[in-house]
Amino acid sequence: MATPTPSPARIHDFAIRENVPVAEGVMRLTIEAPRLAAAIRPGQFMSFAVPGDTTQLIRIPLSFASADAEAGTVTTFYAVVGDGTRRLAAMQPGDTSTVLGPGGHGWTIPAGAKRMLVVAGGIGITPIIAAASLAREAGAEVDAVVGALTAAKLCGIDELKALGCADVRVTTDDGTAGTKGFVTAEVGPLLDRGYDAVLTCGPEPMMRAVAAQARGAETRCQVSLERMMTCGFGACNTCNVETVDGMVGACMHGPVFDARRVVW
Ligand SMILES: Cc1cc2nc3c(=O)[nH]c(=O)nc-3n(C[C@H](O)[C@H](O)[C@H](O)COP(=O)(O)OP(=O)(O)OC[C@H]3O[C@@H](n4cnc5c(N)ncnc54)[C@H](O)[C@@H]3O)c2cc1C
Ligand code: FES
């Protein structure tokens, strides 16, 4: 695989505009960072320095759901899973820090795409909202499948509907909302509609299963892979992904990959 071009990431100051819970264990964060808002593209990520622990040197990589270049804001959804995201969740409007971005390569909408399917599992909804937005801007009809463990953890449905997604289907593992089971239960039948591509983000086994379904339906599929990321700009080799072209860094060659290039 070709060496990626140097990372476009820069360090930006940001101030928090909004940081609110939107589902069980999930926050929606909007930051003011005008130059980042103008530069970041759907599927790319940004890495947050979260104040409050001087021993914590590593930034937190997060995807983004939407960016408003005019307002100078970027919005993300994040799951509170450990110390860093707990400290981020405690930050208040007006609090400041720095964010490194934009990082990596995002989604590609095939030229002339008429109909796209986006599939989110859990907090994978964040870059999927951005993917749906990109596909709608390109003039495609978009269907969506959103899965979560349980109804209380679902988020992003309103955002997908507001973007004009035609058919938004929900699955929960416990059946408390939508179809009981995994996203694959809805993705399988939908693939008969014939999509120009499937874009997916969620737990890796879910993406592997969706990629296999897409392949079976002879439909192109892109996946946004999550890896531990120490630097976020190609300097440390902590974010390796095995591909048919060898090991590559997710922060520079990804996080979005053509599913057929990934060695699952
Ligand atoms: C490109 C990219 C985009 C991401 N986008 C989002 C997003 O939009 N929303 C969101 O909620 N999360 C996202 N993540 C995951 C997020 O970075 C981690 O959940 C976060 O770093 C955890 O930090 P922590 O200090 O709270 O948890 P820690 O205490 O560090 O860890 C808690 C748990 O999360 C795991 N973890 C920690 N860091 C990562 C990481 N970088 N990747 C995978 N697992 C990790 C740990 O192994 C542990 O199981 C993304 C990760 C990557 C690489
Ligand atoms: S996170 Fe350092 S090389 Fe990717």
mmCIF file of all heavy atoms in Angstrom, residues 229-232 234-239 251, ligand 2:
data_model
loop_
_atom_site.group_PDB
_atom_site.id
_atom_site.type_symbol
_atom_site.label_atom_id
_atom_site.label_comp_id
_atom_site.label_asym_id
_atom_site.label_seq_id
_atom_site.Cartn_x
_atom_site.Cartn_y
_atom_site.Cartn_z
ATOM 1 N N MET A 229 -5.054 4.346 19.741
ATOM 2 C CA MET A 229 -4.266 5.334 18.993
ATOM 3 C C MET A 229 -3.481 6.193 19.974
ATOM 4 O O MET A 229 -4.079 6.940 20.740
ATOM 5 C CB MET A 229 -5.181 6.197 18.128
ATOM 6 C CG MET A 229 -5.704 5.459 16.926
ATOM 7 S SD MET A 229 -6.582 6.555 15.812
ATOM 8 C CE MET A 229 -7.096 5.370 14.563
ATOM 9 N N THR A 230 -2.162 6.069 19.924
ATOM 10 C CA THR A 230 -1.339 6.813 20.866
ATOM 11 C C THR A 230 -1.038 8.212 20.348
ATOM 12 O O THR A 230 -1.183 9.193 21.074
ATOM 13 C CB THR A 230 -0.036 6.046 21.164
ATOM 14 O OG1 THR A 230 -0.405 4.744 21.639
ATOM 15 C CG2 THR A 230 0.787 6.747 22.219
ATOM 16 N N CYS A 231 -0.622 8.312 19.064
ATOM 17 C CA CYS A 231 -0.274 9.648 18.560
ATOM 18 C C CYS A 231 -1.391 10.235 17.679
ATOM 19 O O CYS A 231 -1.663 11.419 17.746
ATOM 20 C CB CYS A 231 1.052 9.612 17.791
ATOM 21 S SG CYS A 231 0.947 8.784 16.184
ATOM 22 N N GLY A 232 -1.980 9.413 16.811
ATOM 23 C CA GLY A 232 -3.048 9.889 15.930
ATOM 24 C C GLY A 232 -2.550 10.523 14.650
ATOM 25 O O GLY A 232 -3.346 11.014 13.855
ATOM 26 N N GLY A 234 0.478 9.019 12.761
ATOM 27 C CA GLY A 234 1.413 8.189 11.991
ATOM 28 C C GLY A 234 2.797 8.024 12.580
ATOM 29 O O GLY A 234 3.705 7.560 11.880
ATOM 30 N N ALA A 235 3.005 8.348 13.857
ATOM 31 C CA ALA A 235 4.357 8.328 14.412
ATOM 32 C C ALA A 235 4.654 7.151 15.335
ATOM 33 O O ALA A 235 5.810 6.930 15.679
ATOM 34 C CB ALA A 235 4.613 9.637 15.167
ATOM 35 N N CYS A 236 3.650 6.353 15.739
ATOM 36 C CA CYS A 236 3.920 5.423 16.846
ATOM 37 C C CYS A 236 3.638 3.950 16.561
ATOM 38 O O CYS A 236 4.034 3.089 17.334
ATOM 39 C CB CYS A 236 3.121 5.848 18.072
ATOM 40 S SG CYS A 236 1.351 5.496 17.904
ATOM 41 N N ASN A 237 2.932 3.637 15.478
ATOM 42 C CA ASN A 237 2.634 2.235 15.144
ATOM 43 C C ASN A 237 1.764 1.491 16.149
ATOM 44 O O ASN A 237 1.847 0.276 16.244
ATOM 45 C CB ASN A 237 3.942 1.440 14.983
ATOM 46 C CG ASN A 237 4.447 1.499 13.561
ATOM 47 O OD1 ASN A 237 3.699 1.839 12.649
ATOM 48 N ND2 ASN A 237 5.717 1.190 13.375
ATOM 49 N N THR A 238 0.944 2.187 16.913
ATOM 50 C CA THR A 238 0.075 1.453 17.844
ATOM 51 C C THR A 238 -1.256 1.073 17.203
ATOM 52 O O THR A 238 -2.016 0.317 17.797
ATOM 53 C CB THR A 238 -0.257 2.270 19.111
ATOM 54 O OG1 THR A 238 -0.790 3.518 18.738
ATOM 55 C CG2 THR A 238 0.934 2.442 20.011
ATOM 56 N N CYS A 239 -1.537 1.580 16.018
ATOM 57 C CA CYS A 239 -2.911 1.473 15.489
ATOM 58 C C CYS A 239 -2.994 0.549 14.279
ATOM 59 O O CYS A 239 -3.843 0.742 13.417
ATOM 60 C CB CYS A 239 -3.391 2.867 15.114
ATOM 61 S SG CYS A 239 -2.423 3.605 13.800
ATOM 62 N N CYS A 251 -4.643 5.252 11.746
ATOM 63 C CA CYS A 251 -4.777 6.707 11.900
ATOM 64 C C CYS A 251 -4.419 7.448 10.620
ATOM 65 O O CYS A 251 -4.827 8.594 10.447
ATOM 66 C CB CYS A 251 -3.938 7.206 13.072
ATOM 67 S SG CYS A 251 -2.171 7.171 12.775
HETATM 68 S S1 FES B 2 -1.800 6.246 16.373
HETATM 69 FE FE1 FES B 2 0.335 6.524 16.174
HETATM 70 S S2 FES B 2 0.734 5.643 14.215
HETATM 71 FE FE2 FES B 2 -1.441 5.570 14.381
#
